[in-house]
Amino acid sequence: QLLGAGPADGQDDDTDSEESEYSGLEDSGSDSDSEETGSDPDSGEEDGSKEASEETGDEDAEVGPSAVKRDIRNTVGNIPMEWYADFPHVGYDLDGKKILKPLRSKDELDAFLDKMEDPDFWRTVQDPQTGRDVVLSEQQVALVKRLQKGQFGDINFNEHEPSVDFFSYDVMIHPVTNRPSDKRSFIPSLIEKEKVSKLVHAIKMGLIKPRRSQDDSKGRYYDLWASEEQGRVRDLRMHVPAPRVPLPGHEESYNPPPEYLMTPEERAVWEQQDPEDRKLAFVPRKFSSLRQVPAFERFIHERFERCLDLYLCPRQRKMRVNVNPEDLIPKLPRPRDLQPFPTTQSMVYLGHEGLVRSISPSPCGQWLLSGGDDGSARFWEVSSGRCVKKVEVCGAIKSAVWNPNQGLSLVALAVGSEVLLVTPPSTAADKQVVTATERLLSEEVESAMGEGPVIWSNAEGEELLHGIRIKIQHPKPVSQVTWHSKGDYVAAVMPDHSSHLQVLIHQVSKRRSQSPFSKNKGLVQSVAFHPIRPYFLLATQRSVRIYNLLKQELSKKLQGNAKWISSIAVHPGGDNVICGSYDCRLSWFDLDLSTKPYKTLRHHRRAVRSVAFHRSYPLFASASDDGSVIVCHGTVFSDLLQNPLIVPVKVLKGHVVTHDLGVLDVTFHPSQPWVFSSGADGTIRLFT
Amino acid sequence: MGGLQKKKFERGSATNYITRNKARKKLQLSLPDFRRLCILKGIYPHEPKHKKKVNKGSTAPRTFYLLKDIRFLLHEPIVGKFREYKVFVRKLKKAYAKIEWSDVERLKENKPTYKLDHIIRERFPTFIDALRDIDDALCMCFLFSTFARTGKCHVQTIQLCRRLTVEWMNYVIASRCLKKVFLSIKGIYYQAEVMGQLITWLVPYQFSHDHPTDVDYRVMATFTELYTTLLGFVNFRLYQSLNLVYPPKLDSKSESEINEQNEEDYAMSSESYLEKLSALSASLARVVSSVEEEEAQLDQFPTEGEDMENMEAREKELKQEEKAKKLFEGLKFFLNREVPRESLAFVIRSFGGEVSWDKSVCIGSTYEVTDETITHQIVDRPSVDNQYINRFYIQPQWVYDCVNAKILLPVEDYFIGVTLPPHLSPFVEEKEGDYVPPEKLKIVAMQQGHKSVTEDEENEDEDSNEEAEEEEEDNDEEEEEEDEEEEENLKKLEEQRSKGKSLQVKVTPGKMKVENPARLEQEEKAEEKRLAIMMMKKKEKYLYDKIMFGKKRKVREANKLAAKRKAHDDAEKAKKKARK
């Protein structure tokens, strides 16, 4: 066995070498070096037999070398051989004799020995049809190997030969086939006829439309407006042509002047704004040369937005008001032609501390009375600005009025809930007047003392020395006093929402008081006597009522647009009334015309505090919290058809606004075209 | 009592309007089709005066069309075409779904098409109407012609747009009607006067577009469809008016020249023809062999007085215009490859100049760089290697500024590497009180014939600045007063200082108060005006205030610009000094 093992190894080596030899055959060259000497003669034989078999193969490829030796052929054909598995034979030979299966003499050991000893063992296969062993020839082995590699069995077959088309595009002179034409090619086809008739029918019925001729006229242009009629207008209704895109300004330039570029602050503001609010839709930029200019990234957007504007935006014709602003200014007579009127501040009366509530000139025009929050009433000489006399009272003076009667020298002051009748200093009047006044005041009148809400009393002691003569005690604080033009009656206002006792009229000569109204008509703001007729004007919060004192009835009710009336004044002619209100308005009422204001002037920027008419000149003035006094010219014509002419002529400024209060009272000089004003800054000013 | 009483919203303005949805239903169109129809027919919504009445009491936001407009649309043949197209799409889809390719083929062959000729005729009854509305068409076509051939719209549309715009540019060159050009950051604005109509269009710079996603290209395409048709007809008519062949053909002479040069570079003559046209370097063929254009002389009419003056003025104007048309005549330009070729060639050619470029840049160059007769070479780079002595090397802005100034500006300011003067918009016409940039004043001065400006530029600059300042001072006296006050303050300060040095007590001579009668009068007038304004009616006052507010705002803006400019100039000067 040990001996056997050695040759077995050698045999293995042999087979290996043989394999390598076959592989060498294909390589054709490297065989001689690698071959072992022991197997050389074998391979020589093999070579020779291979050449021989090749020759025979050429003659008859189907006959194998084994068939040459013993020609046993099975005639069963190509059937599965397991059908003969249970028989002793495997088929029949050419003579019809059974081909017997070879005796199963070979066991594993024999096979092994064969394998060891027979050099052709590796190419010995059993023929399943005969059951004999067949040794494959060199040629057959090569064939098997080629097939295993997926190559063609025939060595000489070239798979990459250029193909030659049998039918080529060249027209040959000889026909491919020379067959005569069929009969059917001469007879019209029935099927085709059927198809055609169907199509014809479809065309006739309009089911199939003929192919549209290629219409290339789309891009072809011609003179569209050849037959243009001149003057023919668009027949579209209400057509508004689209507005053009505004032309670009300097700031859109790629190289704008430096002032058009945005500063960083402007840029920040621009970025914070909404795109709709921006004045410019883009940021101006500067490039030093044209080649650096980039593409504008919103270009397509802008064109698209223009498209949207064109078809989505409602169009409207907006009438642009193309007026010269100068034409809007009304043509008024020049103020210079309406002189005289006060123009300049010529005197300032200093002395009061705190607000100067009320001023009043004497009827002769030489003296001026003022009363203020500091509790003093002062008499001033108009021409010199000197304070002649100072009357101290307890409490702020709300109203101070000089008696308009030239024959009397008397003033009325409203202090708290009292009305004081004070005589001015003796230098202020003629002796006759003074005596007349004295007589009036010293008359002992048996009046209905104690009756009614009012108490009359004569002043005594210290007060008498100051010139206070009579004190009229009221139940409530008095805000305003006003004299009748005759100088005998004085009206006092006690504003109160809830009471009907808001106005009292006192008769000085008889020391008598009366309450004219039995009903509460609202908060009374101001009252005035009519200068000529026996009328009494009463301004409540929203309206002015005119009462006839003789008939004791309401004769008119003037409705201004004012929210809160502050003061009223009556034209000396008696037919016109002005009233100022806290909502900056001044309304001019023409009593003959209507109960609505003839004109409302909104000249002041703040509340109107006081209004006044001049006694002889056609002037009126209004004082307001904005620190100005506006003097207007207001002519009233005797002709009833002509409306009053109202022209503002001068804005007088001088008062300082303190604590949001400006000018508190305004009044005219009785004879000269001068105007006095008193303000919250504690001064009284004279404008001439 | 006869007759039926009408219900609330069955008469009056409610019957004149129709909402968009109702209109759509009445026309039996889908919303995109309705939109297209509105675009093509130029129908736009109307804003009713009383919205609530029209909206039957509701205040919901709705778009209203005039009922008459919609009735007018009812008879439009295009509507039928839209329906046909809808049916076509439906059939095609079905055929695709059934995989019946022969049907698909057949359907595609029978695709319904429509023409817009009648709509153009209807919307623009006269040629002048069409010219008046051509601005948008030109802008759109120029934009579409720069689109890439892929994606956003049909290639045919882009090609058509390109063709039409090239035709238009060639017409402008041939008729020499270009008036103004403006390089903005958005693109290049051109303005031409065609048959008395000022036409402005905007051409984007030559870059590929970054297509935004929030833009509906269908709308744009519909507009373009209309505009290409319009522009085609307008071009035809314009070419006819100049006796030019339409579609444009190159002059046989120049054509042969170009052909000689470029025969070997371009393969197919059919393709390169449009390119040759778009090179804008050759003149066009005429129907009648070109006779030298006789200049239209104004007929002399026997006139007198004012008319005479008018006539003379007009004649002068005409002469100037003629002169401006020949601005670049006799000049030979050469464009370097970095400058926008098309724009410059267009501008130079429309003012009579000759222009060429390197052969490799574009077809149609007529002479080489080496040509000795070239007078100007347009360059947009920091330096040029080998320069020729007998020509100016200038930056492109020179050409545009010359066109706007209507004179040949001095080239010194536009040399290579020089900081360019600002490029001003020619479309701004300053009114009285508006801010005028000093550069504009300079140009105006040059136009009026001060040739010496270039020598002492700086002085002129300052002068103009001063002038501007003076004007401002005239504008608002308050500023002046403030100035005076400042001066007084300064004096006081000085006095205080001097006081500190010298004796405490000082006698100053009394000052005579000089009353300026003119000033007084002015003040009086001002006061009169103020008083009169007080008497204005509320309505008029409101209007007056509004007008005055607008005026003041204008002045304020002008002052702001002037102040900014002054600050900038001062800073520049300070920098210069610091450098010295």
Side-chain angles (χ1 to χ4, degrees):
Chain A
Q1 283 186 346
L2 278 172
L3 279 172
D9 280 345
Q11 194 69 32
D12 266 350
D13 278 353
D14 270 353
T15 52
D16 279 350
S17 73
E18 238 125 49
E19 271 182 348
S20 69
E21 190 189 310
Y22 275 108
S23 62
L25 252 183
E26 279 145 22
D27 292 340
S28 78
S30 64
D31 44 350
S32 56
D33 293 314
S34 63
E35 273 166 11
E36 277 179 38
T37 48
S39 61
D40 251 347
D42 281 348
S43 65
E45 274 181 25
E46 228 76 284
D47 279 347
S49 71
K50 179 191 138 199
E51 278 164 22
S53 70
E54 268 179 3
E55 282 163 19
T56 53
D58 282 343
E59 290 157 7
D60 185 11
E62 283 173 17
V63 181
S66 59
V68 176
K69 289 173 198 169
R70 279 172 280 168
D71 195 17
I72 303 168
R73 289 199 188 179
N74 200 342
T75 53
V76 289
N78 191 16
I79 54 157
M81 291 312 291
E82 59 261 26
W83 291 349
Y84 285 92
D86 298 337
F87 296 98
H89 63 279
V90 287
Y92 306 90
D93 65 1
L94 289 173
D95 303 329
K97 286 176 181 163
K98 284 179 181 171
I99 301 174
L100 293 175
K101 282 180 187 168
L103 293 173
R104 285 196 56 83
S105 58
K106 277 184 182 176
D107 54 358
E108 289 290 309
L109 197 61
D110 290 335
F112 176 71
L113 286 177
D114 273 358
K115 190 180 174 187
M116 290 294 114
E117 287 162 6
D118 189 4
D120 286 338
F121 175 77
W122 63 271
R123 53 174 170 184
T124 308
V125 294
Q126 196 183 28
D127 187 354
Q129 288 205 317
T130 56
R132 310 284 135 92
D133 286 346
V134 181
V135 176
L136 297 180
S137 68
E138 288 291 323
Q139 206 183 5
Q140 282 167 330
V141 169
L143 178 70
V144 166
K145 284 198 171 171
R146 270 207 303 281
L147 288 176
Q148 275 177 340
K149 280 183 185 171
Q151 288 168 341
F152 280 97
D154 186 2
I155 300 177
N156 299 322
F157 180 72
N158 183 6
E159 54 186 308
H160 298 298
E161 243 175 23
S163 71
V164 178
D165 282 342
F166 189 75
F167 295 101
S168 74
Y169 57 89
D170 290 329
V171 178
M172 300 292 176
I173 48 169
H174 301 294
V176 179
T177 61
N178 206 9
R179 204 162 61 97
S181 309
D182 290 325
K183 183 188 175 188
R184 62 172 179 271
S185 64
F186 300 104
I187 301 168
S189 158
L190 272 178
I191 300 168
E192 276 178 10
K193 190 185 168 192
E194 204 174 323
K195 275 188 181 171
V196 167
S197 72
K198 261 187 186 171
L199 284 174
V200 167
H201 177 73
I203 291 171
K204 266 185 190 169
M205 299 306 288
L207 299 175
I208 297 176
K209 289 194 185 83
R211 182 173 296 173
R212 189 187 297 259
S213 59
Q214 202 58 43
D215 192 10
D216 60 343
S217 63
K218 203 175 178 200
R220 188 158 293 164
Y221 303 111
Y222 52 94
D223 192 358
L224 188 71
W225 293 279
S227 60
E228 174 178 298
E229 301 143 42
Q230 283 301 322
R232 189 185 150 195
V233 283
R234 291 180 72 124
D235 46 357
L236 285 179
R237 335 78 340 221
M238 292 171 73
H239 180 78
V240 182
R244 299 201 166 179
V245 181
L247 291 171
H250 296 314
E251 61 277 347
E252 209 181 309
S253 168
Y254 87 101
N255 182 14
E259 61 267 32
Y260 288 98
L261 295 172
M262 281 182 177
T263 58
E265 299 92 59
E266 283 173 331
R267 178 75 194 263
V269 169
W270 185 88
E271 269 164 9
Q272 277 182 353
Q273 278 172 330
D274 287 336
E276 304 90 64
D277 298 340
R278 286 173 187 164
K279 211 170 172 200
L280 279 180
F282 55 91
V283 183
R285 293 174 72 188
K286 194 180 180 91
F287 299 96
S288 60
S289 62
L290 188 57
R291 69 170 184 277
Q292 288 167 338
V293 184
F296 187 63
E297 63 267 22
R298 285 194 57 78
F299 196 95
I300 295 178
H301 273 116
E302 285 196 352
R303 276 262 59 84
F304 178 60
E305 273 157 24
R306 170 72 180 167
C307 288
L308 290 188
D309 282 352
L310 284 178
Y311 90 95
L312 276 183
C313 275
R315 295 181 200 166
Q316 240 171 1
R317 246 183 240 281
K318 277 236 163 121
M319 298 308 283
R320 173 157 295 182
V321 188
N322 198 9
V323 288
N324 186 3
E326 301 299 319
D327 295 345
L328 289 173
I329 299 172
K331 293 279 167 286
L332 295 174
R334 296 175 59 190
R336 198 190 287 167
D337 305 337
L338 301 174
Q339 274 169 345
F341 54 82
T343 52
T344 50
Q345 175 183 313
S346 58
M347 193 77 76
V348 182
Y349 305 90
L350 294 167
H352 274 290
E353 291 149 14
L355 315 179
V356 185
R357 289 269 183 199
S358 177
I359 49 173
S360 170
S362 70
C364 58
Q366 222 176 338
W367 308 97
L368 180 70
L369 166 69
S370 68
D373 271 4
D374 57 351
S376 68
R378 292 169 195 239
F379 293 90
W380 310 85
E381 192 178 16
V382 169
S383 53
S384 66
R386 201 159 57 89
C387 181
V388 182
K389 191 184 173 186
K390 183 177 166 191
V391 179
E392 294 278 355
V393 293
C394 45
I397 297 172
K398 287 279 166 62
S399 178
V401 194
W402 207 298
N403 192 329
N405 188 353
Q406 294 240 5
L408 289 172
S409 166
L410 194 65
V411 299
L413 305 175
V415 183
S417 56
E418 286 180 335
V419 172
L420 307 179
L421 297 182
V422 181
T423 50
S426 53
T427 48
D430 287 346
K431 198 146 194 192
Q432 287 178 346
V433 176
V434 173
T435 47
T437 314
E438 282 299 321
R439 205 186 310 133
L440 175 72
L441 292 174
S442 55
E443 262 176 32
E444 277 301 321
V445 182
E446 202 51 45
S447 63
M449 289 284 195
E451 276 179 31
V454 177
I455 304 158
W456 290 72
S457 62
N458 287 330
E460 286 162 358
E462 187 77 7
E463 285 178 337
L464 196 60
L465 280 180
H466 279 122
I468 300 173
R469 304 302 290 269
I470 296 175
K471 290 160 82 175
I472 310 168
Q473 183 70 40
H474 288 67
K476 275 170 283 186
V478 179
S479 70
Q480 193 211 353
V481 285
T482 182
W483 286 97
H484 185 252
S485 56
K486 292 267 172 57
D488 195 18
Y489 291 96
V490 63
V493 182
M494 298 168 287
D496 185 3
H497 277 295
S498 51
S499 163
H500 68 274
L501 191 69
Q502 293 195 66
V503 181
L504 287 171
I505 298 178
H506 311 293
Q507 191 175 14
V508 177
S509 55
K510 292 187 179 160
R511 311 275 166 91
R512 215 174 58 183
S513 302
Q514 55 184 350
S515 165
F517 304 113
S518 55
K519 263 186 195 164
N520 176 18
K521 294 287 185 189
L523 189 67
V524 177
Q525 293 295 316
S526 176
V527 293
F529 285 102
H530 195 278
I532 303 164
R533 268 163 280 175
Y535 288 153
F536 188 70
L537 289 86
L538 179 115
T540 58
Q541 201 170 317
R542 303 291 301 267
S543 59
V544 178
R545 292 155 190 277
I546 303 173
Y547 292 96
N548 192 332
L549 290 175
L550 284 184
K551 291 182 186 168
Q552 303 221 332
E553 63 179 16
L554 177 72
S555 76
K556 234 165 215 161
K557 188 179 169 191
L558 307 178
Q559 289 281 10
N561 292 324
K563 297 272 183 311
W564 197 312
I565 292 170
S566 64
S567 58
I568 52 170
V570 190
H571 189 266
D575 277 344
N576 295 283
V577 173
I578 53 174
C579 84
S581 66
Y582 289 116
D583 53 352
C584 320
R585 282 173 223 244
L586 186 146
S587 314
W588 175 291
F589 292 97
D590 194 334
L591 298 186
D592 295 336
L593 204 66
S594 148
T595 57
K596 294 272 182 297
Y598 158 64
K599 208 154 226 181
T600 306
L601 310 176
R602 297 185 44 139
H603 297 166
H604 286 287
R605 234 161 284 133
R606 306 289 295 276
V608 177
R609 287 269 164 191
S610 164
V611 289
F613 265 114
H614 197 281
R615 203 181 281 176
S616 48
Y617 288 103
L619 294 173
F620 64 91
S622 57
S624 153
D625 271 350
D626 58 5
S628 68
V629 174
I630 293 180
V631 180
C632 297
H633 178 92
T635 317
V636 176
F637 299 97
S638 52
D639 181 7
L640 282 176
L641 291 176
Q642 208 162 357
N643 285 328
L645 171 76
I646 298 169
V647 183
V649 287
K650 190 72 191 171
V651 179
L652 299 168
K653 283 177 182 166
H655 284 285
V656 184
V657 178
T658 40
H659 304 301
D660 277 348
L661 293 173
V663 189
L664 294 177
D665 196 9
V666 66
T667 178
F668 277 99
H669 189 276
S671 51
Q672 297 292 332
W674 299 346
V675 66
F676 299 97
S677 66
S678 71
D681 53 350
T683 60
I684 303 159
R685 286 162 201 261
L686 167 65
F687 298 94
T688 55
Chain B
M1 295 298 275
L4 284 170
Q5 197 179 5
K6 290 223 171 178
K7 278 184 194 161
K8 202 175 176 192
F9 295 112
E10 284 183 356
R11 66 189 153 167
S13 54
T15 52
N16 292 334
Y17 292 93
I18 185 167
T19 62
R20 190 187 62 177
N21 242 2
K22 275 194 182 159
R24 207 174 56 71
K25 274 178 192 154
K26 185 163 188 165
L27 291 170
Q28 298 180 2
L29 285 174
S30 66
L31 190 56
D33 275 346
F34 179 70
R35 190 184 293 148
R36 254 163 73 196
L37 188 64
C38 284
I39 289 171
L40 295 177
K41 294 285 282 181
I43 302 297
Y44 48 86
H46 276 254
E47 188 84 357
K49 229 176 186 179
H50 303 289
K51 248 190 149 174
K52 208 174 159 189
K53 272 187 197 169
V54 174
N55 214 351
K56 312 210 166 154
S58 149
T59 49
R62 282 211 179 94
T63 316
F64 290 101
Y65 287 85
L66 277 183
L67 190 63
K68 276 185 181 174
D69 280 352
I70 301 302
R71 285 216 188 101
F72 167 73
L73 289 182
L74 273 176
H75 305 293
E76 178 55 47
I78 285 261
V79 177
K81 294 281 182 188
F82 284 168
R83 293 200 190 109
E84 252 175 52
Y85 194 81
K86 200 173 71 182
V87 171
F88 159 72
V89 168
R90 201 170 57 213
K91 281 183 179 167
L92 198 66
K93 262 187 195 165
K94 205 171 185 177
Y96 265 116
K98 285 184 172 174
I99 326 179
E100 289 177 346
W101 302 121
S102 62
D103 275 11
V104 169
E105 200 86 334
R106 183 176 53 78
L107 282 169
K108 272 187 178 169
E109 269 167 10
N110 283 338
K111 185 177 170 180
T113 57
Y114 56 88
K115 292 209 292 186
L116 299 174
D117 303 7
H118 65 283
I119 289 184
I120 299 284
R121 184 68 211 263
E122 184 189 77
R123 285 186 64 175
F124 309 103
T126 63
F127 180 55
I128 294 298
D129 288 331
L131 270 184
R132 217 173 275 155
D133 277 13
I134 204 128
D135 284 17
D136 286 314
L138 279 170
C139 287
M140 194 63 114
C141 286
F142 270 103
L143 172 66
F144 265 68
S145 67
T146 60
F147 278 177
R149 306 275 156 111
T150 48
K152 296 299 170 187
C153 62
H154 294 297
V155 178
Q156 288 93 330
T157 315
I158 294 168
Q159 277 168 343
L160 182 62
C161 283
R162 177 71 187 152
R163 190 189 118 196
L164 291 171
T165 51
V166 166
E167 282 170 6
W168 171 261
M169 284 198 286
N170 271 313
Y171 167 76
V172 171
I173 290 173
S175 66
R176 298 230 177 147
C177 59
L178 191 66
K179 293 284 171 232
K180 289 167 181 175
V181 195
F182 178 49
L183 299 170
S184 90
I185 51 173
K186 293 181 184 171
I188 305 177
Y189 286 90
Y190 299 94
Q191 190 172 57
E193 190 177 350
V194 181
M195 304 197 166
Q197 302 292 325
L198 279 178
I199 294 164
T200 316
W201 70 97
L202 173 62
V203 183
Y205 288 117
Q206 289 284 342
F207 290 104
S208 63
H209 293 281
D210 186 13
H211 286 289
T213 48
D214 52 346
V215 163
D216 189 355
Y217 278 89
R218 284 180 304 172
V219 172
M220 301 251 280
T222 314
F223 268 104
T224 311
E225 200 179 355
L226 177 76
Y227 285 155
T228 47
T229 319
L230 171 64
L231 190 57
F233 285 120
V234 168
N235 275 350
F236 185 91
R237 177 83 180 223
L238 287 174
Y239 272 68
Q240 215 186 26
S241 71
L242 281 189
N243 279 335
L244 294 168
V245 180
Y246 189 92
K249 288 228 165 53
L250 293 176
D251 209 356
S252 54
K253 199 173 72 184
S254 47
E255 188 177 359
S256 61
E257 268 173 32
I258 290 179
N259 277 355
E260 267 172 38
Q261 285 177 356
N262 302 93
E263 203 59 68
E264 66 276 11
D265 299 340
Y266 288 86
M268 287 163 79
S269 60
S270 62
E271 269 183 18
S272 65
Y273 205 80
L274 181 65
E275 303 244 326
K276 280 178 199 165
L277 271 177
S278 60
L280 304 174
S281 65
S283 50
L284 299 179
R286 285 170 191 272
V287 176
V288 187
S289 60
S290 64
V291 187
E292 277 306 307
E293 272 181 65
E294 42 191 277
E295 284 173 24
Q297 286 278 345
L298 266 190
D299 289 346
Q300 294 286 343
F301 294 105
T303 49
E304 49 199 69
E306 280 179 38
D307 287 352
M308 263 304 252
E309 280 173 22
N310 280 346
M311 285 288 281
E312 274 171 16
R314 209 182 306 158
E315 232 169 89
K316 209 174 164 187
E317 219 169 79
L318 269 180
K319 262 185 193 168
Q320 266 188 350
E321 252 174 45
E322 280 302 312
K323 218 176 148 191
K325 271 184 190 173
K326 293 173 180 168
L327 187 65
F328 293 142
E329 209 130 280
L331 301 183
K332 257 182 137 173
F333 291 86
F334 189 83
L335 309 181
N336 257 26
R337 58 175 62 249
E338 70 272 10
V339 299
R341 189 202 64 79
E342 192 175 287
S343 165
L344 276 168
F346 173 55
V347 172
I348 291 169
R349 287 264 298 135
S350 20
F351 287 92
E354 281 182 76
V355 63
S356 179
W357 44 84
D358 195 81
K359 234 198 303 186
S360 57
V361 174
C362 180
I363 197 171
S365 71
T366 43
Y367 44 84
E368 300 279 318
V369 206
T370 51
D371 196 334
E372 292 288 323
T373 54
I374 291 173
T375 56
H376 295 76
Q377 182 160 351
I378 299 176
V379 179
D380 197 4
R381 55 174 82 174
S383 62
V384 174
D385 292 340
N386 43 1
Q387 300 194 350
Y388 290 78
I389 291 176
N390 57 352
R391 66 177 76 155
F392 296 118
Y393 285 83
I394 46 171
Q395 301 197 33
Q397 197 191 317
W398 182 79
V399 175
Y400 300 105
D401 279 354
C402 283
V403 167
N404 292 339
K406 292 179 184 147
I407 46 167
L408 291 179
L409 295 170
V411 287
E412 288 86 359
D413 303 344
Y414 299 89
F415 279 157
I416 307 170
V418 170
T419 311
L420 290 168
H423 180 63
L424 298 175
S425 164
F427 303 115
V428 180
E429 275 167 17
E430 278 92 356
K431 277 176 247 150
E432 240 183 74
D434 284 355
Y435 173 74
V436 187
E439 287 82 10
K440 179 123 187 180
L441 294 174
K442 223 160 89 187
I443 287 173
V444 169
M446 253 188 264
Q447 278 170 339
Q448 280 156 3
H450 304 295
K451 289 286 172 191
S452 62
V453 188
T454 49
E455 287 156 25
D456 42 5
E457 229 175 288
E458 296 250 315
N459 294 342
E460 181 69 28
D461 208 24
E462 278 167 25
D463 283 355
S464 59
N465 273 353
E466 277 167 19
E467 278 173 20
E469 276 161 35
E470 275 171 19
E471 279 178 10
E472 286 154 33
E473 278 168 14
D474 287 345
N475 280 345
D476 38 2
E477 286 163 22
E478 290 173 4
E479 227 171 70
E480 204 176 3
E481 281 174 9
E482 279 174 11
D483 283 1
E484 276 176 22
E485 274 178 17
E486 276 180 11
E487 269 179 36
E488 277 176 14
N489 283 341
L490 280 177
K491 270 184 192 170
K492 271 183 193 168
L493 276 176
E494 271 177 37
E495 274 172 15
Q496 278 175 1
R497 270 185 203 167
S498 59
K499 266 180 197 170
K501 279 172 192 169
S502 60
L503 285 170
Q504 289 284 327
V505 184
K506 201 178 176 185
V507 179
T508 46
K511 230 183 189 177
M512 248 247 302
K513 205 177 181 185
V514 185
E515 283 197 350
N516 188 355
R519 182 88 190 241
L520 270 179
E521 201 171 316
Q522 251 187 5
E523 270 175 23
E524 199 174 306
K525 265 195 183 155
E527 197 185 349
E528 246 175 62
K529 202 172 155 189
R530 260 204 311 278
L531 290 170
I533 287 167
M534 290 199 317
M535 282 304 283
M536 270 158 82
K537 279 172 196 156
K538 209 167 161 187
K539 217 172 172 183
E540 286 176 351
K541 180 96 181 283
Y542 175 74
L543 185 61
Y544 180 83
D545 281 349
K546 230 170 136 181
I547 293 173
M548 293 320 268
F549 176 78
K551 277 189 172 175
K552 270 184 193 158
R553 189 178 49 196
K554 235 182 201 173
V555 169
R556 208 164 53 226
E557 269 164 17
N559 285 345
K560 195 177 158 195
L561 282 177
K564 254 170 126 179
R565 177 65 182 222
K566 208 179 165 215
H568 178 263
D569 285 354
D570 287 350
E572 288 284 298
K573 263 184 200 167
K575 252 189 212 170
K576 252 188 203 171
K577 266 186 192 168
R579 228 176 274 160
K580 275 174 191 171

